[in-house]
Amino acid sequence: MSEQEVKNLEQMFQARIDNDEKIEPKDWMPEKYRKTHIRQISQHAHSEVVGMLPEGNWITRAPSLRRKVALLAKIQDEGGHGLYLYSAAETLGISRDELIAQLHSGEAKYSSIFNYPAVTWADMGTIGWLVDGAAIMNQVALMGTSYGPYSRAMVRICKEESFHQRQGYEILLTLCNGTPEQKAMAQDSINRWWWPSLMMFGPRDADSPNTEQSVKWKLKRKTNDELRQAFVDQTVPQANILGLTIPDPKLKWNEERKHYDFGEIDWEEFWQVVKGHGPCNKQRLSDRINAHEKGQWVRDAAMAYAEKQANKEEKQAI
Amino acid sequence: MNNNLIQYILGIADNSLILGQRLGELCGHGPSIETDIALTNISLDLLGQTRSYFQYVAQLQGGDANEDTVAFLRLEREYKNVLLVEQPNTDFGYSIARQFLYDVYHLALLEELQDSKDEQLAAIATKSIKEVLYHVRFSSDWIRRLGDGTEESHNRIQTAINDLWIFTDELFHQTDADKVMVAEGIGVDVAMLKENYYKKVTAILEEATLQIPEVEYFQKGGKQGIHSEHMGYILTEMQYMQRTYPNMTW
């Protein structure tokens, strides 16, 4: 294809996006569009799967049977979200195995939030409320993204995530209506998760070089800073209902802007975690790699068995 | 308060609780996302069943009892689960072998329990049976895949079956409370299920090209509350919150 032809295709492609048409797997797309989407969708899938670990570590210790069952159901949903998203990424011509290899080699990232430890039961509430809440903020925006399979996955996932968020909030509400010890547990949890949750929206717009392109492709409908602001505006009143304090002395309603002003994120910590040096990065990755390596013989067995069965059927057919 | 009935229900429900707890440990650590979801799903079913049984027990106990006091506040000697379900997740082969050996029994038990004279037990059995049918299918399929898969998987699942076989006979033991309940038409005479159990298990193991273990002695004790040393650790973890923060709502 000549340069001019590619340029024409790109223009037609962009015109479809501008016209709010969905791009489907068999459609022509710029190589950069394909790569960016593989990166983002797989990162999203990896986040679901790695995200099973901090909550999974509380299943055996959940304080009541009802909570234990709800937590199990939630984590199961997350595994399911991981599967949807891997399927969506595979429509772009890459296999799940390759994507998982990228995660294990460190080439692909997952959400930095899951590198923080879930140290108390209250964290199960806070993760639902803040972490899933921040994820929903991002994902609702993605429901309108231009790539059809990703957009459809988001619609399905958002429904379940909203339920998880309510469930998390309800855990905190129970703690806040409980004993002083329980309330203190909830407050401590917010203190630890508030800033990492704000970091989930990514770097400041000024430090986010891909934003412009992503907005053009509708992969981003709002910038990182806009989403972060919307999250703070939505969350502060919910904290007030709980009677919990947000650990930010600069947090204040700004009547002129009609938004909350808030303090500066510790960007040094953000980059430290993103670059693999957060409190749990090594543990999370080694847990995933371990599960994969220890499971090799099981996957091999399933393949060998399937082949034997297929051979048997073939023979019978003859 | 019908103590025999309570003891009888605990003898069934504690199996679901402890096995559900064991499966819960595996979350996020399985060989594939699909198996992870499936095992979590089985755990969820078993714990759901546990809740139904324990709510019934709490109702029989009366007073301040509720499903959580039954689940979290008993001492090790008071748990009536069989030794099989408390065995560790040594590898995927052990988790599957344990599941399979329990599921086949569980299904047979529930099929009979559906006819219990106790309406509530019959109702729980009817509801649970749909779930357990799925469990049997899942674990039997994996027995076949691992047994008739690669040489390594064959050896691993054979080892797991060999090691866990010694806990199967206990499934058919009856406590004094069990016997009273059987006499009253409430409990299932599990001794009657034994022959069919070994027949079914043997058929699937043979299909999976596996050997049927021959053992001289079986292990027992769980039903009398005399557990393996694993049990203390399971309970320490499971009860930690309720013991540390007593009398709170979660």
Side-chain angles (χ1 to χ4, degrees):
Chain A
M1 228 183 290
S2 76
E3 227 170 276
Q4 187 55 44
E5 281 170 319
V6 171
K7 222 172 178 185
N8 287 344
L9 280 170
E10 278 177 8
Q11 274 172 0
M12 278 157 60
F13 176 82
Q14 190 58 48
R16 289 185 61 195
I17 292 178
D18 295 343
N19 202 25
D20 266 337
E21 280 177 50
K22 294 287 182 228
I23 307 301
E24 296 300 335
K26 286 185 176 166
D27 296 343
W28 183 87
M29 61 187 81
E31 211 32 46
K32 202 175 162 217
Y33 180 92
R34 183 187 303 277
K35 286 207 171 113
T36 301
H37 275 78
I38 289 176
R39 197 186 64 229
Q40 176 155 345
I41 300 171
S42 70
Q43 206 161 294
H44 196 159
H46 299 327
S47 303
E48 296 282 359
V49 175
V50 175
M52 294 167 79
L53 296 168
E55 291 176 299
N57 108 80
W58 273 93
I59 288 176
T60 55
R61 291 176 293 164
S64 75
L65 286 179
R66 179 171 157 257
R67 293 296 183 200
K68 195 192 281 281
V69 165
L71 187 60
L72 269 163
K74 178 188 174 182
I75 299 173
Q76 211 181 317
D77 284 347
E78 277 157 10
H81 296 172
L83 287 179
Y84 293 159
L85 288 162
Y86 282 125
S87 301
E90 283 186 320
T91 63
L92 291 160
I94 190 163
S95 71
R96 202 213 291 188
D97 286 346
E98 287 172 277
L99 295 171
I100 287 174
Q102 287 176 358
L103 169 70
H104 293 173
S105 72
E107 190 189 334
K109 300 270 180 262
Y110 54 88
S111 179
S112 60
I113 194 82
F114 300 118
N115 293 312
Y116 289 87
V119 290
T120 68
W121 169 252
D123 292 3
M124 297 303 99
T126 310
I127 289 174
W129 174 44
L130 292 182
V131 175
D132 294 337
I136 293 167
M137 214 65 166
N138 275 320
Q139 289 167 2
V140 165
L142 281 168
M143 287 180 358
T145 190
S146 59
Y147 189 55
Y150 193 25
S151 146
R152 288 188 290 274
M154 281 305 106
V155 173
R156 293 186 66 171
I157 290 174
C158 275
K159 284 182 198 156
E160 291 181 345
E161 291 288 1
S162 308
F163 179 68
H164 298 166
Q165 192 197 13
R166 279 205 298 277
Q167 216 170 46
Y169 192 73
E170 207 249 322
I171 290 177
L172 290 175
L173 204 56
T174 308
L175 294 180
C176 291
N177 289 330
T179 65
E181 276 167 296
Q182 285 175 301
K183 184 146 190 193
M185 191 191 279
Q187 181 65 59
D188 166 68
S189 181
I190 307 301
N191 293 349
R192 285 180 288 107
W193 290 91
W194 174 255
W195 291 106
S197 302
L198 294 194
M199 293 176 196
M200 285 176 73
F201 296 95
R204 277 178 301 219
D205 292 348
D207 304 321
S208 182
N210 298 324
T211 296
E212 199 191 337
Q213 184 63 71
S214 296
V215 168
K216 260 179 86 183
W217 288 336
K218 297 188 175 165
L219 189 50
K220 259 194 185 142
R221 291 259 159 149
K222 287 180 180 163
T223 69
N224 295 352
D225 287 336
E226 284 169 349
L227 288 166
R228 189 162 19 236
Q229 180 72 60
F231 176 73
V232 172
D233 291 346
Q234 175 192 286
T235 311
V236 173
Q238 294 170 347
N240 291 340
I241 294 172
L242 294 170
L244 293 173
T245 317
I246 303 269
D248 178 0
K250 291 197 174 138
L251 184 82
K252 206 177 149 223
W253 178 252
N254 182 326
E255 187 54 38
E256 214 170 289
R257 290 201 310 128
K258 299 282 179 204
H259 287 296
Y260 280 96
D261 291 334
F262 54 96
E264 194 60 44
I265 284 171
D266 182 346
W267 292 109
E268 203 182 304
E269 178 182 318
F270 172 79
W271 290 113
Q272 181 172 348
V273 177
V274 168
K275 288 178 179 163
H277 307 288
C280 297
N281 294 60
K282 290 188 173 64
Q283 182 67 50
R284 299 289 186 242
L285 207 52
S286 79
D287 277 356
R288 286 311 311 158
I289 292 171
N290 247 323
H292 192 74
E293 287 176 353
K294 280 189 189 156
Q296 188 63 50
W297 69 273
V298 176
R299 296 191 301 277
D300 290 345
M303 291 299 285
Y305 179 78
E307 265 171 44
K308 283 184 199 174
Q309 293 305 106
N311 285 341
K312 264 185 210 166
E313 272 172 34
E314 219 168 89
K315 269 183 200 157
Q316 273 169 358
I318 294 164
Chain B
M1 184 163 61
N2 187 338
N3 197 46
N4 283 324
L5 180 56
I6 290 173
Q7 293 307 315
Y8 180 71
I9 300 170
L10 291 177
I12 297 171
D14 285 348
N15 290 331
S16 292
L17 173 65
I18 300 301
L19 187 53
Q21 184 75 4
R22 274 296 190 211
L23 292 172
E25 292 171 11
L26 293 168
C27 184
H29 304 281
S32 67
I33 308 174
E34 286 83 352
T35 48
D36 233 320
I37 294 176
L39 291 174
T40 321
N41 195 32
I42 294 173
S43 174
L44 188 59
D45 289 343
L46 291 170
L47 292 167
Q49 295 165 15
T50 307
R51 291 186 68 193
S52 304
Y53 289 121
F54 283 2
Q55 282 162 14
Y56 187 24
V57 168
Q59 185 193 321
L60 293 166
Q61 285 176 334
D64 291 337
N66 61 51
E67 60 179 72
D68 290 325
T69 60
V70 182
F72 296 106
L73 298 181
R74 278 180 291 149
L75 299 173
E76 184 174 343
R77 291 280 283 105
E78 296 170 303
Y79 283 82
K80 306 293 181 203
N81 57 282
V82 290
L83 297 175
L84 176 65
V85 296
E86 68 197 51
Q87 298 308 307
N89 299 307
T90 308
D91 69 10
F92 187 74
Y94 277 81
S95 302
I96 289 299
R98 184 186 60 208
Q99 197 62 38
F100 169 67
L101 294 173
Y102 185 70
D103 288 342
V104 175
Y105 162 80
H106 196 188
L107 182 61
L109 174 79
L110 293 177
E111 276 169 352
E112 295 301 318
L113 194 62
Q114 285 189 108
D115 300 329
S116 169
K117 275 189 186 161
D118 185 298
E119 276 177 28
Q120 218 153 325
L121 274 185
I124 297 172
T126 305
K127 185 179 160 281
S128 308
I129 214 163
K130 293 176 199 138
E131 297 167 346
V132 176
L133 274 165
Y134 161 77
H135 304 171
V136 172
R137 208 172 82 196
F138 176 82
S139 59
S140 311
D141 279 352
W142 272 105
I143 290 285
R144 293 189 190 97
R145 281 193 198 105
L146 298 179
D148 197 14
T150 63
E151 194 186 335
E152 183 184 7
S153 71
H154 176 92
N155 293 338
R156 278 177 180 255
I157 192 67
Q158 183 71 64
T159 306
I161 291 283
N162 292 349
D163 282 358
L164 294 174
W165 196 259
I166 54 172
F167 301 111
T168 52
D169 188 67
E170 191 192 10
L171 295 166
F172 308 99
H173 288 207
Q174 295 189 354
T175 63
D176 293 338
D178 293 350
K179 284 174 193 159
V180 175
M181 287 299 104
V182 171
E184 288 184 20
I186 290 173
V188 176
D189 186 357
V190 283
M192 306 273 287
L193 305 176
K194 189 170 171 175
E195 200 185 314
N196 229 343
Y197 171 84
Y198 282 110
K199 219 187 267 175
K200 274 193 185 153
V201 164
T202 301
I204 290 168
L205 289 180
E206 279 174 354
E207 211 188 310
T209 73
L210 293 166
Q211 300 288 319
I212 314 306
E214 278 176 36
V215 303
E216 284 182 59
Y217 298 102
F218 287 97
Q219 296 296 319
K220 60 177 187 294
K223 284 193 165 182
Q224 277 71 36
I226 304 169
H227 294 277
S228 66
E229 289 178 355
H230 300 300
M231 193 66 179
Y233 292 91
I234 297 176
L235 296 184
T236 303
E237 201 170 319
M238 188 177 82
Q239 298 181 337
Y240 147 70
M241 289 295 288
Q242 287 275 349
R243 298 286 186 195
T244 314
Y245 304 96
N247 302 316
M248 295 185 197
T249 305
W250 299 95

